[in-house]
Each structure stands twice: as C-alpha cells, then as structure tokens.
Amino acid sequence: AVGRGLGRASPAGSPLEDVVIERYHIPRACPREVQMGDFVRYHYNGTFEDGKKFDSSYDRHTLVAIVVGVGRLITGMDRGLMGMPSRDAQTSTPPPTLGAAPNTAGLIPPDATLYFDVVLLDVWNKADTVQVSTLLRPPHCPRMVQDSDFVRYHYNGTLLDGTAFDTSYSRGGTYDTYVGSGWLIKGMDQGLLGMCPGERRKIIIPPFLAYGEKGYGDKIPGSAVLIFDVHIIDFHNPADPVEIKTLSRPPETCNETAKLGDFVRYHYNCSLLDGTKLFSSWVRGRARAGQGMCVGERRQLVVPPHLAHGESGARGVPGSAVLLFEVELVSREDGLPTGYLFVWHEDPPANLFEDMDLNKDGEVPPEEFSTFIKAQVSEGKGRLLPGQDPEKTIGDMFQNQDRNQDGNITAEELKLKSDEDQERVHEEL
C-alpha cells in the first residue's frame, strides 16, 4: 500500500504551509488511527517534484520507528501521520527534519517541495490494552476460561499489516497450554480469559504485552503489534471433577439406582467439546459416573482429560482432550465386592465341602465344583460376578481353591474368600 503527498519544508522561523495529504487506500478493517504520543513503524520513499528520489527507508532496509507528536519529527510529519489508519493504510506526509535523517543533509534545498509515499505498518500507545472482538460465540456456554485452566486452541497469527507469522493449523494439532501461568505472552493470557468452548475471537496485542522491542525470531519484528484469530476447542482445570447433567428420567418411580460396583449396560455417544464425533457404542461395564442413575435415564457427562485419556490421548482421541458423553442406562445388576467372583445371599452351608463333594470320595473335581456353584445360583442362594462368562468365572474360582494344582479340591484346600481375607489381615498384623 502506498500513498503520495505534498509537503513543503520551511526555513527556520518561517511559517509552515499546510500539509497536503492524499489517501488512496484505506483498509477495510482499521483497528485504530494514529494519535499524538503513539509509537509508529512505517516505510517511506521521499522524492522531489520532478520524481527524483532523495531518501528511502526501503533502500536502507530499515523501518522508521518513532513516537509521534513529541518533537522527534518536524511538525509537518507529525501532522501528516495524525489520523492515518493502521495496517495497510496509506497517506502522505512531509519529511523528517534533517537532523533526524542525516543521510539527507545537503540533498534538500531550502523551500523545496517534497513528496512522500508512506506505508504505516504498526501503531500503538503505551496506554493501549489488549483489544478483543468476538467473531463467533456458541449459544451455550457452560463455563469460561479462567486463570490456571488448561486450554486447547487453534490460531492464526498476523502482523498489523496482514503479514502471517504463525499458525497452529499447519502443524496438524491444537496449541495446548495453561492460562495465567507464564507459558504465554501476557497479552494472550489476557485475551483468552472469558472465552467459551467453541468461541472464536480476534485478539490484538500491543508489543509491550507481546515480544517487545526485540521481537521474536525472524518473523516478528521489534515493537510489532500482533493479531491472533483464536478458536477455542476445549479447556479444563486440573481440579475439575466429572460434570453430570440429567437429560431425562423415566416417568415411573425409580426404586433402585446404580451404585459403585454395579454391573451396567448402557448406550453412549462420545464427542469432543467442539462437536467432533468420536465413538458410539453399546457398552457393558461397572458403574462409576453412572452412580445414582435409573434404568432408562439419560445423562450428559463432561469428563476432563485427567479422568479420561490424559495427555497422551488414545486412538482417535487427541491428547488432553475433554470428552462429552451422552449416556443411556439400559440395565443394572448388583455387583460384587472387589476381588470376589461369587457371593452368598445368606450364610453359606455349614458343611460346605461335604455338600460340594457329590460322590463323597473326599475330593471335588472341576465337574462337581461347577455343578454345585450353578445349583446355588439357580436356587437363588448366591450369585456370580456379572458381566463375564459364567464358565470362565467358575473355572477361575476352582483354580483359586485348588492350592496344589492337582485338579481336585480337598477339605483342607477349600476356604471362603472372607476367611482368606481375615487370615491375610492377621498375618499383616
């Protein structure tokens, strides 16, 4: 973007003519205009009326970086820069003083009419704050980003003139970090606060809240204003629990609800917070986040990554991703205490081994053991661990009791799980 203007350099003590300004490009999006006390960065070409060049910042490969309206520029240049739109806007201004541009000494005759084409790249003030504008805000915002939250977001980063310096999209994954913990530039820490999952924002950051006078690498120059287009994917706090919301409950009274350790069957849909679908399945498992659910009830569960797949993620699940589940409880069975494969509903038989030894030969082979356990289940005297193949469960029970692994259980080998637990406690004491 270029601008051509007319200005006259006046001798010391003579009145200054008005600066003539032509603007022939103003950007569609103009975050702000130059005001007195602003710090500006600009390029220029300086020519005489006949088109002969007397100075150029382009030839020196150095931008002019200076404060406007504090005596560092001649009055005409200060006037010409005032009100100039930022980014790729253009205007015309008179030249800097000869003292401010020693390379022009002796090149500019008295009362010369000078032409300057100026491209304004940056403008900011030490009183500036982070500017935030919302591009898209989801209708539902369950919570907003706060200090110490861990966020996953995409961004495009540009300079004020539109030059791109970085983007997360080209790296194939989100940028993941903590907010307010020193991992981000100060302006980004401020700009992310209050965002909702799925929200898009434009964040304009002055250099003293970004990379300051030194800039960063070879793409962010010193004293550069930065613009970020940010899309929040999700965020969580390391202290977050599972969030539970009931979507619907059966109309009839629910007398029995799922409790910890119960065996349940349920349908679920799993997605990321931005709506990306991950999985949908019929599942059997132990009740955890489903505690207190009635059969037929539907719930929404928001599961933070430290209670899901963590920083590494899983197949199809990004690292540090918050997961959204919609769950419907289909059935529920009473579970067993941890470590138990079978429990009695009442006290076990007084002569357990004798009842189990069907042919009374003093040994119980796998067939007799299986027949006895199945009979207890069918008569309602006990129950097996739900959710597993009964034959496998009974086989595991037999192996636990067959201490010497000779294929038979004797009276000395047969012990109840509760008795084993008590013996173990006694040994530890």
Side-chain angles (χ1 to χ4, degrees):
V2 294
R4 182 174 177 79
L6 172 64
R8 181 180 294 279
S10 61
S14 64
L16 181 70
E17 296 182 12
D18 288 339
V19 177
V20 179
I21 300 173
E22 292 180 38
R23 291 177 179 163
Y24 39 95
H25 177 68
I26 298 178
R28 294 179 181 177
C30 176
R32 58 169 293 175
E33 297 179 350
V34 176
Q35 302 174 7
M36 185 175 292
D38 282 347
F39 184 94
V40 295
R41 294 193 312 123
Y42 63 90
H43 266 306
Y44 73 91
N45 283 318
T47 61
F48 294 114
E49 192 170 8
D50 62 2
K52 181 180 179 181
K53 182 168 63 176
F54 64 85
D55 191 22
S56 172
S57 63
Y58 296 97
D59 292 346
R60 297 192 302 274
H61 304 288
T62 303
L63 288 164
V64 178
I66 201 165
V67 179
V68 177
V70 294
R72 299 182 182 180
L73 296 168
I74 62 172
T75 304
M77 182 61 86
D78 276 339
R79 289 184 184 181
L81 290 173
M82 293 296 180
M84 188 174 181
S86 58
R87 297 186 70 175
D88 60 344
Q90 54 222 358
T91 186
S92 314
T93 67
T97 64
L98 297 180
N103 58 300
T104 62
L107 298 179
I108 301 177
D111 296 328
T113 298
L114 307 176
Y115 292 82
F116 283 81
D117 290 339
V118 177
V119 179
L120 182 63
L121 299 181
D122 264 315
V123 53
W124 57 272
N125 193 287
K126 62 183 179 180
D128 285 347
T129 58
V130 174
Q131 300 176 53
V132 174
S133 56
T134 299
L135 305 178
L136 173 66
R137 190 177 180 91
H140 177 61
C141 183
R143 59 174 287 184
M144 296 181 287
V145 175
Q146 301 177 1
D147 274 337
S148 78
D149 281 346
F150 186 90
V151 296
R152 298 194 314 120
Y153 63 93
H154 273 301
Y155 70 89
N156 288 316
T158 62
L159 303 179
L160 207 56
D161 67 348
T163 302
F165 62 81
D166 194 17
T167 176
S168 64
Y169 294 95
S170 65
R171 293 194 291 272
T174 55
Y175 187 80
D176 307 340
T177 190
Y178 286 95
V179 175
S181 300
W183 296 102
L184 294 166
I185 57 175
K186 293 181 179 179
M188 186 61 81
D189 268 338
Q190 296 177 20
L192 292 173
L193 294 178
M195 291 190 73
C196 301
E199 183 175 343
R200 295 176 183 267
R201 273 187 183 179
K202 177 176 296 234
I203 303 172
I204 302 176
I205 304 175
F208 56 88
L209 294 174
Y211 293 102
E213 296 180 1
K214 295 182 179 180
Y216 186 80
D218 59 354
K219 292 189 176 181
I220 300 179
S223 299
V225 178
L226 306 183
I227 299 180
F228 290 91
D229 286 337
V230 174
H231 179 202
I232 289 283
I233 302 301
D234 63 36
F235 57 91
H236 72 280
N237 194 283
D240 284 347
V242 175
E243 297 178 22
I244 300 175
K245 177 183 178 181
T246 298
L247 303 178
S248 66
R249 260 176 106 87
E252 63 273 9
T253 302
C254 178
N255 295 321
E256 294 186 0
T257 59
K259 59 185 180 298
L260 187 63
D262 280 357
F263 180 79
V264 296
R265 291 178 174 84
Y266 59 94
H267 280 304
Y268 79 92
N269 291 315
C270 177
S271 63
L272 302 179
L273 286 193
D274 67 351
T276 302
K277 302 296 183 184
L278 296 179
F279 311 110
S280 181
S281 181
W282 176 291
V283 177
R284 301 181 299 169
R286 296 281 184 127
R288 287 182 177 86
Q291 292 182 66
M293 287 186 73
C294 300
V295 173
E297 182 177 342
R298 292 178 60 246
R299 280 185 177 180
Q300 181 184 81
L301 311 176
V302 179
V303 184
H306 54 272
L307 297 174
H309 296 289
E311 296 181 5
S312 301
R315 185 176 181 180
V317 181
S320 299
V322 179
L323 301 183
L324 178 65
F325 289 88
E326 288 193 5
V327 178
E328 179 181 356
L329 186 61
V330 176
S331 65
R332 182 199 70 83
E333 298 178 49
D334 288 334
L336 301 187
T338 301
Y340 281 73
L341 299 176
F342 174 88
V343 295
W344 301 93
H345 290 159
E346 298 178 354
D347 291 336
N351 299 312
L352 179 58
F353 182 80
E354 293 180 8
D355 291 351
M356 193 176 292
D357 183 12
L358 302 181
N359 63 4
K360 308 306 178 185
D361 64 352
E363 293 181 336
V364 176
E367 296 77 13
E368 288 186 345
F369 184 86
S370 176
T371 300
F372 175 80
I373 294 298
K374 290 178 180 179
Q376 308 311 300
V377 173
S378 65
E379 295 170 11
K381 296 179 179 178
R383 69 176 188 276
L384 292 166
L385 179 68
Q388 294 189 15
D389 178 8
E391 295 294 343
K392 182 181 184 307
T393 301
I394 294 172
D396 291 342
M397 292 172 62
F398 182 88
Q399 291 297 319
N400 292 339
Q401 296 297 325
D402 184 12
R403 315 290 175 174
N404 60 9
Q405 300 298 300
D406 66 350
N408 289 290
I409 299 173
T410 64
E412 291 74 22
E413 291 177 310
L414 184 64
K415 293 182 181 179
L416 295 174
K417 179 74 167 58
S418 56
D419 294 336
E420 291 179 342
D421 292 342
Q422 188 61 39
E423 289 178 2
R424 188 174 297 109
V425 170
H426 179 74
E427 290 172 358
E428 291 175 354
L429 292 176

